[in-house]
């Protein structure tokens, strides 16, 4: 069992918990609850009472970040979980569930029944009172607790559901990943800006559209575009226009977002393709020809690929492949400083 926290100043907190190790499960829920109460706080979300089965077998690995009155939990549950039948307790918050694997079943208000969020879907709703829920084993999900101020009027009594790969959820996911990576080191101004960006993107989910005049969202939009580009690098259709279309923003908005962080969309795509081609040239076996590499990474022809590669790396692809091959044969090639670099 491992539980740790950092940056606890009332405005932010970080919790890491892992009760998946052998023998840790009987104490897993207690440790998670203690960590939540000390690092995140009941003022954000009050953890409910759980069933006896859950208490005895709580195998969950997760990271939770608090930013002002919001909390973001990345959860991986090996065991199924279930609350007590009537957890009770008044709450006033907006909850969002983004399920990548497994399913999360939520008890509804009186007369409205249960709602299940399956893999590949999200659900967002206002919560006025704790209700029962259960999750399947082998769950992977994000759970967001958000302050109701600006979001509750947008939601009212609505429950909004949709695909987890929608443009707005992609942007929100990119931002939450960035928050987990940086929140422990943020100063007060950074915490405030991060909280504002999180609320703005949650509003985009509620409204079903992205507010392209909100400058705080540029880093999240840029990261979401990079993540998508990285998955489609060999796609001949990959372009700023395609990325903008997939993320439900205008091409102008996408270019503005990259410019705000000092980059260009087309340059990022070209450099990432060059990086992948460079790694392929250094591969010890099964190396493609220069013309095959050019075609695979969507360069116009081998001459264009060669010129672009040499301009970026100072060697032609053939020269680089030769030097990489020589380095791999060197008795010291495993030492730092020998062999090709992994990235540009």
């Amino acid at each position: 069992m491992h539980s740790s926290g950092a940056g606890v100043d009332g405005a932010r907190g970080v919790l890491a918990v892992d009760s998946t190790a052998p023998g840790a499960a009987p104490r897993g829920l207690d440790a998670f609850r203690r960590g939540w109460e000390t690092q995140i706080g009941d003022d954000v979300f009050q953890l409910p009472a759980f069933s006896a089965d859950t208490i005895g077998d709580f195998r969950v690995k997760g990271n939770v970040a608090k930013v002002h009155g919001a909390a973001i939990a990345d959860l991986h549950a090996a065991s199924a979980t279930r609350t007590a039948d009537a957890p009770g307790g008044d709450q006033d918050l907006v909850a969002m569930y983004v399920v990548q694997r497994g399913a999360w079943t939520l008890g509804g208000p009186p007369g409205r029944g249960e709602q299940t969020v399956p893999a590949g879907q999200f659900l967002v709703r206002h919560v006025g009172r704790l209700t029962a829920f259960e999750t399947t084993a082998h769950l992977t999900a994000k759970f967001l607790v958000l302050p109701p101020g600006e979001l509750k009027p947008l939601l009212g009594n609505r429950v909004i559901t949709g695909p987890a790969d929608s443009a707005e959820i992609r942007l929100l996911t990119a931002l939450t990943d960035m928050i987990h990576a940086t929140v422990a080191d943020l100063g007060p101004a950074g915490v405030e800006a991060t909280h504002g960006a999180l609320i703005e993107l949650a509003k985009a989910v509620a409204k079903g559209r992205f507010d392209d005049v909100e400058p705080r969202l540029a880093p999240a939009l840029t990261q979401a575009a990079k993540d998508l580009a990285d998955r489609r690098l060999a796609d001949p259709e990959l372009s700023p226009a395609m990325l903008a279309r997939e993320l439900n923003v205008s091409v102008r908005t996408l270019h503005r977002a990259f410019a705000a962080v000092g980059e260009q969309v087309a340059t990022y795509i070209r450099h990432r393709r060059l990086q992948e081609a460079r790694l392929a040239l250094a591969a010890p076996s099964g190396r493609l020809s220069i013309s095959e590499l050019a075609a695979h990474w969507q360069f116009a022809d081998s001459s264009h690929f060669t010129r672009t590669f040499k301009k970026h790396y100072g060697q032609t692809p053939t020269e680089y492949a030769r030097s990489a091959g020589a380095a791999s044969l060197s008795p010291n090639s495993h030492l730092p400083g020998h062999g090709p670099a992994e990235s540009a």
Side-chain angles (χ1 to χ4, degrees):
M1 179 69 213
H2 170 68
S3 177
S4 64
V8 183
D9 58 10
R12 60 180 176 159
V14 180
L15 166 66
V17 62
D18 185 357
S19 61
T20 60
R27 303 183 304 277
L29 181 56
D30 286 342
F32 185 84
R33 188 179 296 278
R34 285 195 305 271
W36 184 282
E37 291 172 352
T38 57
Q39 307 300 334
I40 307 303
D42 279 347
D43 61 313
V44 175
F45 177 72
Q46 178 185 346
L47 292 177
F50 285 90
S51 68
D53 289 346
T54 299
I55 293 170
D57 185 21
F58 187 79
R59 288 174 288 129
V60 174
K61 181 177 181 180
N63 293 288
V64 187
K66 173 187 177 182
V67 184
H68 280 318
I72 306 154
D74 281 336
L75 301 174
H76 304 272
S79 59
T81 66
R82 182 166 61 87
T83 61
D85 290 336
D90 292 333
Q91 298 272 264
D92 185 18
L93 54 88
V94 170
M96 185 181 299
Y97 311 79
V98 184
V99 178
Q100 287 97 31
R101 183 183 181 195
W104 198 319
T105 299
L106 309 165
R112 292 180 60 179
E114 293 183 340
Q115 295 167 312
T116 296
V117 191
Q121 294 288 305
F122 79 89
L123 180 148
V124 58
R125 66 179 184 175
H126 174 255
V127 177
R129 185 172 178 80
L130 283 177
T131 56
F133 68 80
E134 60 182 88
T135 67
T136 62
H138 309 297
L139 174 84
T140 300
K142 282 184 181 289
F143 172 50
L144 283 74
V145 179
L146 303 166
E150 298 182 63
L151 295 168
K152 183 178 176 180
L154 289 174
L155 292 170
N157 293 324
R158 292 185 304 151
V159 173
I160 296 176
T161 61
D165 64 350
S166 69
E168 292 78 18
I169 293 294
R170 285 179 182 175
L171 292 174
L172 187 66
T173 297
L175 178 63
T176 58
D177 291 343
M178 293 166 67
I179 291 173
H180 275 291
T182 62
V183 69
D185 300 319
L186 291 176
V191 171
E192 184 70 31
T194 298
H195 177 266
L198 182 62
I199 298 302
E200 289 298 324
L201 276 179
K203 287 163 62 178
V205 172
K207 290 187 278 189
R209 60 182 177 83
F210 176 76
D211 184 358
D212 65 1
V213 300
E214 177 51 66
R216 290 176 296 185
L217 304 185
L221 176 55
T222 302
Q223 189 59 52
K226 288 180 177 180
D227 292 344
L228 180 57
D230 287 347
R231 295 193 298 270
R232 306 280 285 272
L233 281 176
D235 188 340
E237 300 299 318
L238 178 60
S239 67
M242 185 270 271
L243 293 175
R245 184 172 61 252
E246 291 285 328
L247 294 170
N248 198 26
V249 300
S250 68
V251 176
R252 182 170 177 267
T253 293
L254 184 64
H255 283 306
R256 281 211 318 253
F258 269 77
V261 296
E263 297 186 77
Q264 294 181 340
V265 187
T267 300
Y268 177 81
I269 294 171
R270 183 172 65 254
H271 286 179
R272 284 291 293 114
R273 284 173 165 170
L274 285 171
Q275 287 173 6
E276 293 300 322
R278 185 188 190 193
L279 289 174
L281 286 167
S285 61
R287 185 178 295 157
L288 297 176
S289 69
I290 302 302
S291 59
E292 288 171 331
L293 277 175
H296 183 76
W297 295 114
Q298 305 306 316
F299 289 89
D301 52 43
S302 57
S303 296
H304 178 237
F305 171 58
T306 297
R307 288 195 304 272
T308 306
F309 191 96
K310 184 173 183 179
K311 182 177 180 181
H312 194 68
Y313 291 115
Q315 293 178 296
T316 66
T318 301
E319 291 168 344
Y320 181 81
R322 188 179 300 120
S323 64
S328 68
L329 297 175
S330 167
N332 295 321
S333 62
H334 64 285
L335 297 175
H338 293 265
E342 289 296 312
S343 61

